[in-house]
Amino acid sequence: MIEIKNLIKTYNIGGQTIKAVDNVSLMIEKGDLVSIVGHSGSGKTTLLSLIGGLTMPASGSVIIDGIDIWSMGDDKLSEFRNKKISFIYQFSSLIPTLTVLENVMLPTAFGSHDENAEEYAKKLLDTVGLKDKMTSYPSQLSGGQQRRVAIARAFINKPEIILADEPTGDLDEETEKEILSLFHSMNREKNITFVIVTHDKEIANQAKRKLKMGNGSIKEL
Amino acid sequence: MMKKFTLFSLALKNLKRKPLRTSILVIAIGLLVSAFVFALSFVRRVDSSIKITSERLGADLLIVPTGSRGAAEDVLLENEVKSFYMDKGIVERVKKIKGVDELTYQTYLVTITGACCDVPESIVIAFNQDTDFIIKPWLNKKLGRRLQKGEAIVGSESAFNIRIGLTEVDSVLFGNMFKMVGVLDKTGTGLDNAIFIDDENIADIVRGGKANIKSGQISLIFAKIKKGHDPYKVAGEIEDSIIEVDAVARKDIGKNIINTLRDINRIFSITVILASILSVFLVWAVFSAIANERAKEIGIMRAIGAKEYHVVRLFFLEVLVIGSIGSIIGIISGTVLSLLMAKSFTILKNLAADLNTVERVFIATLSFLIGTVVCVAGALSPIQRIKKLEPLLAIKEE
Ligand SMILES: Nc1ncnc2c1ncn2[C@@H]1O[C@H](COP(=O)(O)OP(=O)(O)OP(=O)(O)O)[C@@H](O)[C@H]1O
Ligand SMILES: [Mg+2]
């Protein structure tokens, strides 16, 4: 379960303070599938990053399964990012020197070694339709293909929570549907909690719970 | 396709990304290390030559004609061919000085090159077999008897120079025929380059007139000191009462060379220190650039679970690969350089002692450490900076 209490994140630009996330409180149950919509610049990526432990809040807390993640030391927080939570980025996020398969397997290099990691990585690549691109490098892929590699990578360490920031941004309708059905089946079968930021009404409507952000605040739809 | 994905393989891939930049760093470290190896080999070699010589000579005092101390050291330490003379009567006067125990004297003669059947220019040491304690240990070991008149025995290096083997050959020295009866073992001193004869032969040589020597002359005196006497005091007393000589205590043999060496040493040290600082800056600059270039990647790795320690390890692996390859190249080229230079540096060419394996290994190890430490020192602050990057900010960087 994710508990967010009075979360505030501010940025300073040229002497002005912007509240990117403004006093957000929120509970997300385990196994939920939540969508977040909102205008560009409303604070969606910032909120997701706060939950994922990628950026430090100005105040407030993110409590996951009873532990305040920002009270953990760097080692524990890194472990948490490695095992418990996965992030699918709005931005391209692959390592250019590594092949597609190596990119998918990269999280296993920072955790305990799993004998079956390679098998699982191949299976995930198959699921996202990139079985024949395993030995390609990111620069040899299209934007949508890169996105799918990142999606496959998000599942490699069998996380409990997946935070997806516009995961289907540059995918065609067909592929988008496949990715969505993957998310839904993972949610159903493995009880993985999903928080999906999207501009796509269809995706938002398929979620179990819909939220909307505006000016750093959040409300239920 | 590797089964287990390791940080080391990632580090290697990173190094291959910019081969030119990696090679420049490796070469820079290689140059630094080779300068270090060269300087250290030089200094150690001169140092050990002096130590070996003063130990092996087995005398507490060296007594030479006033002003000839440098020449004597050149002969004993550097195998130079020089002659200098004083009156033989001085031997008796030195004997009378309080504290002097045994003593023996030697006469140095320089062979003349060019004439038929003569050996190439080298030094012939005529020594007194009745009093000698310098050559005797080596002579006993090899020949087991006294040298007869008309016989000569040669030092190990000198044997090589005049190309005589273990067989007996006759050679002409100063117009007189000598039978070469053997080759002494290597002593590691300047004596290795000499040819030894008994001083009975001097009378004949003087008569022949082919050597630049008059009768009744000797070159230097070696003295032992009685127990309980201070060699420096005895040396002072000798110099005070016999103005024709300089007396050098065993510990001071080679002091002139050591002083010169100290200056060379200083120059080498400054050069190596400056080169190290330069290399640290170079590594720092390169790794700062690398840190900037890879900010996004590091952010991604942090976001998918890399700990600060993983980031540090990844970069250190790269640094260590550069440091080790550079150091190994440096050690090899520095050693080759010092061997090549040994042939053209007068001070090294003539040194009796060479470095042994232990010393070479020591120098190599130390140089390896220097190379790696310089790399690590340069990369430290960029690595510290990059491991603290906030993942979100780093990822958004393009
Ligand atoms: N590093 C930063 N420095 C300053 N301001 C920032 C920074 N990152 C984000 N912001 C500001 O915070 C606000 C929220 O940004 P955020 O990226 O969360 O928006 P978003 O809802 O994800 O938008 P989009 O839909 O376009 O991705 C924006 O006004 C943005 O300008
Ligand atoms: Mg966003």
Side-chain angles (χ1 to χ4, degrees):
Chain A
M1 192 169 74
I2 307 169
E3 266 180 276
I4 297 160
K5 285 185 190 161
N6 307 104
L7 206 56
I8 298 179
K9 173 78 187 179
T10 53
Y11 287 114
N12 278 314
I13 334 173
Q16 249 189 316
T17 307
I18 297 176
K19 283 192 171 170
V21 169
D22 190 0
N23 204 21
V24 168
S25 295
L26 186 67
M27 294 265 264
I28 298 171
E29 296 296 331
K30 179 154 181 59
D32 210 344
L33 198 153
V34 181
S35 71
I36 301 179
V37 293
H39 288 301
S40 178
S42 56
K44 306 181 296 294
T45 298
T46 310
L47 178 63
L48 228 50
S49 303
L50 289 165
I51 300 172
L54 302 179
T55 189
M56 180 112 90
S59 65
S61 48
V62 177
I63 298 160
I64 294 178
D65 292 343
I67 302 165
D68 182 347
I69 63 165
W70 287 106
S71 70
M72 297 193 270
D74 179 75
D75 273 13
K76 279 267 171 304
L77 185 57
S78 301
E79 244 165 69
F80 162 85
R81 289 193 292 240
N82 187 239
K83 302 250 145 58
K84 199 140 189 165
I85 218 162
S86 274
F87 216 107
I88 297 166
Y89 303 88
Q90 183 178 9
F91 329 94
S92 81
S93 65
L94 302 179
I95 308 290
T97 34
L98 300 182
T99 64
V100 165
L101 182 60
E102 287 166 344
N103 262 291
V104 173
M105 287 172 69
L106 188 58
T108 65
F110 305 125
S112 51
H113 176 52
D114 179 5
E115 285 290 313
N116 307 317
E118 190 172 339
E119 275 319 299
Y120 192 47
K122 285 177 178 164
K123 204 180 128 205
L124 287 167
L125 280 170
D126 192 18
T127 312
V128 297
L130 289 174
K131 202 180 179 177
D132 54 337
K133 296 285 185 193
M134 283 192 305
T135 55
S136 301
Y137 284 89
S139 60
Q140 298 164 327
L141 301 184
S142 71
Q145 288 171 326
Q146 289 183 27
R147 179 63 53 88
R148 283 184 276 158
V149 177
I151 290 168
R153 185 182 63 193
F155 289 98
I156 188 81
N157 272 349
K158 305 187 169 127
E160 294 170 23
I161 301 164
I162 287 188
L163 307 172
D165 196 357
E166 293 179 40
T168 57
D170 33 25
L171 299 183
D172 61 279
E173 237 171 90
E174 186 87 6
T175 324
E176 184 183 307
K177 265 197 196 119
E178 282 169 23
I179 296 298
L180 265 184
S181 77
L182 171 69
F183 285 7
H184 280 276
S185 72
M186 284 294 195
N187 176 251
R188 227 181 303 114
E189 289 158 22
K190 306 235 159 87
N191 205 30
I192 298 176
T193 310
F194 279 84
V195 181
I196 305 167
V197 166
T198 183
H199 287 299
D200 189 311
K201 284 217 172 59
E202 189 129 354
I203 299 176
N205 288 332
Q206 284 179 19
K208 295 179 182 169
R209 185 178 171 195
K210 288 186 281 178
L211 300 171
K212 179 170 181 164
M213 271 201 99
N215 267 331
S217 301
I218 202 154
K219 66 175 184 198
E220 212 89 23
L221 276 186
Chain B
M1 177 62 43
M2 63 207 96
K3 271 275 182 291
K4 190 180 173 198
F5 193 77
T6 63
L7 285 182
F8 186 64
S9 58
L10 189 57
L12 287 186
K13 281 191 166 200
N14 281 338
L15 287 171
K16 281 188 212 145
R17 261 154 118 160
K18 295 254 166 104
L20 183 66
R21 185 168 68 186
T22 305
S23 327
I24 287 174
L25 260 192
V26 166
I27 290 168
I29 298 300
L31 287 174
L32 167 71
V33 170
S34 84
F36 186 77
V37 168
F38 177 71
L40 203 58
S41 312
F42 180 94
V43 172
R44 301 279 312 174
R45 219 184 130 192
V46 177
D47 213 34
S48 69
S49 281
I50 291 169
K51 214 173 273 160
I52 286 174
T53 303
S54 65
E55 273 166 18
R56 298 221 174 130
L57 285 180
D60 299 318
L61 287 183
L62 180 64
I63 298 150
V64 297
T66 308
S68 298
R69 175 180 173 177
E73 289 180 344
D74 286 349
V75 172
L76 293 172
L77 297 171
E78 294 187 44
N79 310 336
E80 292 213 10
V81 178
K82 283 186 179 164
S83 60
F84 41 90
Y85 301 107
M86 60 187 174
D87 194 73
K88 195 172 175 179
I90 289 172
V91 176
E92 288 309 314
R93 291 163 66 194
V94 173
K95 247 184 211 163
K96 294 204 181 87
I97 306 285
K98 208 173 136 234
V100 173
D101 191 8
E102 271 182 79
L103 50 77
T104 185
Y105 53 90
Q106 297 181 347
T107 312
Y108 294 176
L109 304 148
V110 176
T111 61
I112 304 144
T113 42
C116 159
C117 321
D118 279 353
V119 296
E121 180 173 83
S122 54
I123 196 140
V124 175
I125 298 181
F127 66 110
N128 182 283
Q129 290 195 80
D130 298 323
T131 55
D132 173 73
F133 51 84
I134 307 284
I135 319 293
K136 200 169 274 166
W138 307 95
L139 191 66
N140 282 346
K141 198 168 158 200
K142 216 60 200 186
L143 200 62
R145 63 168 172 84
R146 284 173 68 101
L147 272 180
Q148 302 298 314
K149 200 174 167 200
E151 283 183 343
I153 191 158
V154 297
S156 65
E157 291 297 317
S158 172
F160 178 75
N161 288 342
I162 62 180
R163 292 194 198 84
I164 72 159
L166 293 168
T167 50
E168 296 191 359
V169 279
D170 293 339
S171 249
V172 179
L173 298 173
F174 314 106
N176 294 18
M177 204 61 147
F178 276 88
K179 186 179 226 165
M180 302 286 173
V181 291
V183 178
L184 292 178
D185 284 345
K186 196 171 166 66
T187 64
T189 71
L191 299 181
D192 288 340
N193 276 51
I195 299 168
F196 299 89
I197 58 174
D198 188 88
D199 68 351
E200 271 183 290
N201 296 295
I202 292 184
D204 290 345
I205 292 171
V206 171
R207 210 171 303 128
K210 287 202 174 175
N212 186 20
I213 184 179
K214 296 194 209 86
S215 70
Q217 281 186 323
I218 58 168
S219 296
L220 46 70
I221 301 171
F222 292 103
K224 283 187 180 173
I225 302 280
K226 283 188 185 136
K227 263 206 173 131
H229 287 263
D230 175 22
Y232 289 98
K233 249 189 204 148
V234 179
E237 241 156 80
I238 292 173
E239 288 186 347
D240 287 347
S241 45
I242 312 170
I243 58 158
E244 296 99 317
V245 298
D246 286 340
V248 187
R250 183 213 300 246
K251 280 196 185 131
D252 287 352
I253 293 177
K255 216 169 202 176
N256 288 337
I257 298 178
I258 288 176
N259 285 338
T260 322
L261 186 68
R262 224 168 257 149
D263 289 339
I264 297 176
N265 209 344
R266 222 166 277 155
I267 294 168
F268 277 153
S269 307
I270 292 170
T271 314
V272 169
I273 288 170
L274 288 180
S276 305
I277 293 173
L278 195 72
S279 309
V280 169
F281 269 111
L282 186 67
V283 175
W284 174 81
V286 169
F287 271 86
S288 293
I290 290 179
N292 289 338
E293 281 167 28
R294 299 210 202 127
K296 183 177 172 130
E297 269 169 53
I298 298 302
I300 294 165
M301 290 188 199
R302 297 278 284 138
I304 59 179
K307 297 175 182 172
E308 284 182 5
Y309 140 88
H310 286 118
V311 175
V312 171
R313 210 170 71 167
L314 176 64
F315 275 91
F316 268 129
L317 285 172
E318 284 183 43
V319 170
L320 290 179
V321 168
I322 290 175
S324 335
I325 296 177
S327 298
I328 289 166
I329 292 176
I331 288 166
I332 293 169
S333 61
T335 308
V336 169
L337 191 70
S338 78
L339 292 177
L340 287 179
M341 287 304 220
K343 293 196 180 108
S344 56
F345 253 80
T346 345
I347 188 165
L348 285 180
K349 182 167 62 184
N350 294 321
L351 276 182
D354 201 351
L355 291 175
N356 59 33
T357 325
V358 177
E359 277 172 308
R360 284 206 188 283
V361 170
F362 169 76
I363 290 173
T365 314
L366 199 63
S367 312
F368 191 88
L369 282 178
I370 292 278
T372 350
V373 165
V374 160
C375 278
V376 170
L380 214 53
S381 90
I383 294 177
Q384 285 299 321
R385 186 162 54 85
I386 200 165
K387 78 168 191 197
K388 291 288 179 198
L389 276 183
E390 191 191 77
L392 177 64
L393 279 182
I395 291 166
K396 280 165 86 175
E397 218 155 277
E398 272 312 317

